């Protein structure tokens, strides 16, 4: 048996064990707040429903003591952590006392000690390759142990894996097994498609104009070229005054566009780079969620805006939730635009802390604190700062705390951001976590100035 089989075995056995004790009882479910975490929640909730297990679901970006305390105060019969928990196993077991806990995760475990909890993790089973399986994938095999009928939920684990960027022109072994289950269940349709992003959500004209991934000669970044291109193929880009989208085209028109693009690219690149796998959800609650990549982006936005229930219910197929989720994506994108505008404004006013080692932006309460991390990542990736400049962003949470994110620009090496941050946090109190080139913390609002001074002194 391979290590992959060992892992699947461990996960399904745990699922079987779980259902025996949890049937007809109450479960507290805690998941990560990103697409993979929300997919884990949707998958497990549907599996719980099938067994008459009642539940309360909570979501978090990281597990601090206040949060764990509230989890174990729910007085549930069983506790399940999904796509979260592996990095704080000791802390969980401390709060759990003798309660029955399952941790279903794929993050690096904080200990190998056999604590008093069931920990299902590919890394524990010795599966060490990167991107082998997502948190929701772990939940999928666990749910298969609960009841084989849960194979109808495989598509949720495919969404989670794509949300965690585990797809790279196909999947690794464990994810691939899940994909096969979903394809057989017809909950995911697999096809090869020209590499155009936003194909179901943006008008065809825009999809072609912004096709920088493919870089079509005479078409990409050329609005007139796009129209000429479609005219030549005899394809109309609008109908009754509405701009057409890819799904409005007939299959032969889609094929003609694909062929023409491959022809225009000629011998420059081989087709395998231009044609990518497309994963579609035939039962998606809305058109723009048919493409799993787009669906994952939409779910992520609801998570970032702390509208977890909207994300989970959308994944469970709720049409009303899906409508709000689509709106949330627009809200999220505009929040990011606002944040970047604030940076420009502050720079113009000279109120930005910016030198050749550190850029520090205090967003106060002007953006949702849940996006300070992503904004720091965007700034660090944007090539506006030279390699190795540390970007620090701060924002106020709704509970009057300060969320801090640290990133290093252009993935410079030899940084120990987590150490630097935990040093600074240890002086003012609070919690921190992360790794060498991305770290985050939560501190008390009263300690903000002191903390900023300490970070400034660190670089
Ligand atoms: Mn994950």
């Amino acid at each position: 048996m391979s290590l992959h089989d060992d892992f699947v075995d461990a996960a399904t056995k745990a699922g079987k064990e779980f259902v025996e004790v949890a049937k007809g009882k109450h479960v507290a479910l805690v998941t990560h707040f990103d697409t993979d975490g929300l997919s884990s929640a949707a998958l497990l909730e549907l599996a719980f429903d099938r067994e008459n297990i009642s539940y309360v679901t909570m979501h978090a970006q990281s597990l601090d003591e206040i949060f764990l305390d509230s989890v174990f105060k729910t007085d549930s019969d069983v506790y399940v952590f999904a796509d979260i928990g592996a990095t704080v196993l000791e802390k969980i077991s401390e709060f759990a006392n003798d309660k029955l806990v399952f941790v279903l995760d794929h993050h690096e475990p904080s200990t190998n000690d056999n604590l008093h909890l069931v920990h299902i993790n590919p890394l524990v089973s010795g599966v060490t390759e990167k991107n082998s399986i997502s948190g929701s994938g772990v939940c999928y095999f666990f749910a298969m142990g609960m009841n084989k009928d849960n194979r109808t939920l495989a598509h949720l684990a495919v969404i989670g894996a794509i949300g965690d960027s585990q797809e790279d022109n196909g999947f690794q072994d464990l994810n691939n097994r899940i994909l096969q289950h979903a394809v057989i269940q017809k909950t995911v349709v697999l096809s090869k498609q020209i590499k155009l992003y936003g194909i179901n959500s943006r008008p065809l004209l825009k999809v072609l104009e912004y096709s920088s991934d493919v870089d079509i000669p005479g078409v990409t970044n050329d609005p007139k070229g796009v129209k000429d291109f479609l005219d030549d193929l005899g394809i109309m880009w609008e109908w009754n005054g509405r701009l057409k989208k890819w799904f409005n085209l007939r299959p032969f028109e889609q094929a003609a566009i694909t062929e023409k693009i491959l022809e225009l690219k000629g011998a420059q690149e081989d087709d395998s780079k231009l044609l990518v796998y497309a994963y579609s959800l035939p039962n998606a609650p809305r058109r723009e969620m048919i493409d799993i990549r787009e669906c994952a982006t939409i779910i992520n936005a609801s998570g970032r805006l702390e509208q977890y229930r909207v994300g989970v219910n959308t994944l469970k197929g709720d049409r009303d939730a899906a409508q709000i989720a689509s709106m949330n994506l627009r809200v999220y994108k505009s929040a990011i635009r606002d944040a970047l505008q604030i940076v420009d404004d502050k720079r113009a006013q000279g109120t930005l802390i910016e030198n050749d080692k550190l850029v520090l932006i205090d967003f106060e309460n002007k953006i949702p604190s849940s996006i300070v991390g992503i904004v720091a990542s965007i700034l660090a990736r944007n090539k506006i700062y030279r390699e190795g400049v540390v970007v620090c962003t701060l924002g106020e949470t709704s509970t009057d705390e300060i969320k801090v994110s640290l990133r290093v620009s252009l993935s410079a090496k030899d940084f120990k951001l987590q150490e630097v941050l935990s040093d600074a946090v240890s002086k003012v109190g609070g919690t921190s976590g992360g790794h060498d080139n991305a770290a985050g913390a939560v501190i008390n609002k009263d300690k903000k100035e002191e903390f900023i001074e300490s970070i400034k002194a660190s670089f």
Side-chain angles (χ1 to χ4, degrees):
M1 249 184 32
S2 72
L3 291 171
H4 298 116
D5 294 328
D6 289 346
F7 164 76
V8 171
D9 218 39
T12 45
K13 265 194 193 132
K16 223 176 256 162
E17 222 179 284
F18 167 82
V19 81
E20 275 161 24
V21 290
K23 219 176 174 72
K25 297 230 171 87
H26 186 75
V27 171
L29 172 61
V30 178
T31 84
H32 201 206
F33 80 130
D34 65 3
T35 298
D36 187 24
L38 299 183
S39 301
S40 303
L43 195 156
L44 289 176
E45 286 186 5
L46 290 167
F48 293 170
D49 288 340
R50 196 165 255 154
E51 310 301 331
N52 191 23
I53 293 167
S54 65
Y55 48 84
V56 55
T57 310
M58 290 158 275
H59 308 275
Q61 187 164 8
S62 60
L63 298 174
D64 60 26
E65 272 144 35
I66 298 167
F67 186 83
L68 280 173
D69 189 49
S70 68
V71 169
F72 286 99
K73 278 202 175 116
T74 59
D75 199 25
S76 305
D77 301 300
V78 187
Y79 295 79
V80 178
F81 293 81
D83 192 37
I84 198 165
T87 61
V88 288
L89 292 168
E90 295 95 333
K91 245 199 243 172
I92 293 174
S93 77
E94 226 173 83
F95 279 90
N97 288 317
D98 53 357
K99 306 238 172 77
L100 184 53
V101 179
F102 290 79
V103 177
L104 315 173
D105 203 352
H106 66 137
H107 294 101
E108 191 74 46
S110 57
T111 173
N112 290 318
D113 289 354
N114 188 14
L115 298 164
H116 185 65
L117 40 80
V118 183
H119 179 206
I120 302 302
N121 190 319
L123 297 162
V124 170
S125 301
V127 178
T128 51
E129 82 238 30
K130 241 185 128 209
N131 298 336
S132 64
I133 191 168
S134 64
S136 49
V138 177
C139 293
Y140 174 69
F141 286 116
F142 181 81
M144 283 293 276
M146 290 172 64
N147 190 330
K148 282 260 183 300
D149 290 346
N150 288 328
R151 67 171 82 82
T152 55
L153 308 177
H155 63 289
L156 292 165
V158 179
I159 298 171
I162 287 182
D164 266 10
S165 307
Q166 297 193 327
E167 201 272 350
D168 183 14
N169 210 7
F171 282 114
Q172 304 277 339
D173 186 292
L174 288 169
N175 274 330
N176 218 7
R177 294 190 196 189
I178 299 169
L179 175 67
Q180 298 314 320
H181 287 201
V183 168
I184 291 166
Q185 294 297 310
K186 298 194 169 65
T187 50
V188 171
V189 173
L190 187 61
S191 60
K192 276 251 176 182
Q193 197 175 65
I194 195 90
K195 196 174 179 180
L196 295 171
Y197 185 75
I199 216 163
N200 290 308
S201 51
R202 291 169 167 174
L204 181 61
L205 287 181
K206 294 292 165 201
V207 169
L208 290 168
E209 185 185 337
Y210 302 142
S211 55
S212 50
D213 274 356
V214 187
D215 194 16
I216 314 162
V219 175
T220 302
N221 296 323
D222 182 351
K224 179 162 184 309
V226 171
K227 290 183 173 172
D228 291 345
F229 172 87
L230 292 171
D231 275 343
D232 284 349
L233 293 171
I235 294 171
M236 299 204 281
W237 61 79
E238 57 178 8
W239 187 251
N240 282 339
R242 288 181 72 106
L243 290 176
K244 279 192 180 179
K245 292 181 179 172
W246 180 261
F247 59 75
N248 298 129
L249 301 179
R250 293 162 190 273
F252 70 83
E253 294 177 314
Q254 296 176 346
I257 290 175
T258 303
E259 264 168 48
K260 190 72 193 169
I261 291 173
L262 292 177
E263 186 193 312
L264 285 172
K265 294 293 288 179
Q268 294 173 27
E269 274 173 79
D270 75 289
D271 296 355
S272 70
K273 281 192 202 134
L274 300 172
L275 292 174
V276 290
Y277 285 110
Y279 305 86
S280 312
L281 300 165
N283 311 319
R286 284 175 75 82
R287 267 280 175 52
E288 63 269 31
M289 295 173 188
I290 290 176
D291 182 297
I292 293 191
R293 289 187 184 90
E294 295 179 48
C295 177
T297 304
I298 290 170
I299 300 300
N300 175 62
S302 284
R304 289 279 171 187
L305 296 172
E306 296 176 28
Q307 301 223 4
Y308 310 123
R309 207 59 239 166
V310 170
V312 176
N313 286 346
T314 298
L315 290 165
K316 289 169 90 172
D318 182 327
R319 281 167 193 274
D320 295 333
Q323 192 180 352
I324 301 170
S326 279
M327 219 166 58
N328 281 346
L329 177 63
R330 290 196 282 277
V331 172
Y332 174 64
K333 281 183 175 169
S334 86
I336 288 175
R337 270 197 301 274
D338 290 350
L340 297 175
Q341 186 62 49
I342 290 171
V343 177
D344 286 345
D345 293 350
K346 279 183 182 278
R347 185 176 296 119
Q349 294 157 5
T351 54
L352 201 61
I353 299 172
E354 196 170 25
N355 59 44
D356 58 349
K357 288 187 180 139
L358 175 72
V359 181
L360 189 146
I361 308 122
D362 180 5
F363 288 105
E364 295 159 42
N365 59 2
K366 297 196 176 68
I367 63 170
S369 64
S370 51
I371 71 165
V372 297
I374 191 79
V375 170
S377 295
I378 291 170
L379 291 169
R381 251 190 275 124
N382 256 356
K383 298 182 185 163
I384 36 178
Y385 303 113
R386 70 171 179 80
E387 186 178 301
V389 173
V390 171
V391 178
C392 177
T393 52
L394 290 85
E396 283 170 26
T397 70
S398 49
T399 53
D400 255 6
E401 288 170 313
I402 303 291
K403 252 199 79 184
V404 184
S405 274
L406 281 191
R407 300 287 186 275
V408 60
S409 74
L410 308 176
S411 354
K413 302 267 181 318
D414 300 324
F415 275 79
K416 297 262 178 265
L417 292 186
Q418 193 202 338
E419 276 175 35
V420 173
L421 190 57
S422 86
D423 268 2
V425 167
S426 70
K427 288 174 199 150
V428 298
T431 55
S432 68
H435 40 95
D436 286 353
N437 41 23
V442 179
I443 58 166
N444 195 301
K445 197 174 166 183
D446 306 331
K447 301 285 185 183
K448 187 166 86 176
E449 294 310 319
E450 204 181 318
F451 173 80
I452 290 176
E453 288 313 311
S454 165
I455 281 289
K456 274 161 73 179
S458 309
F459 294 101

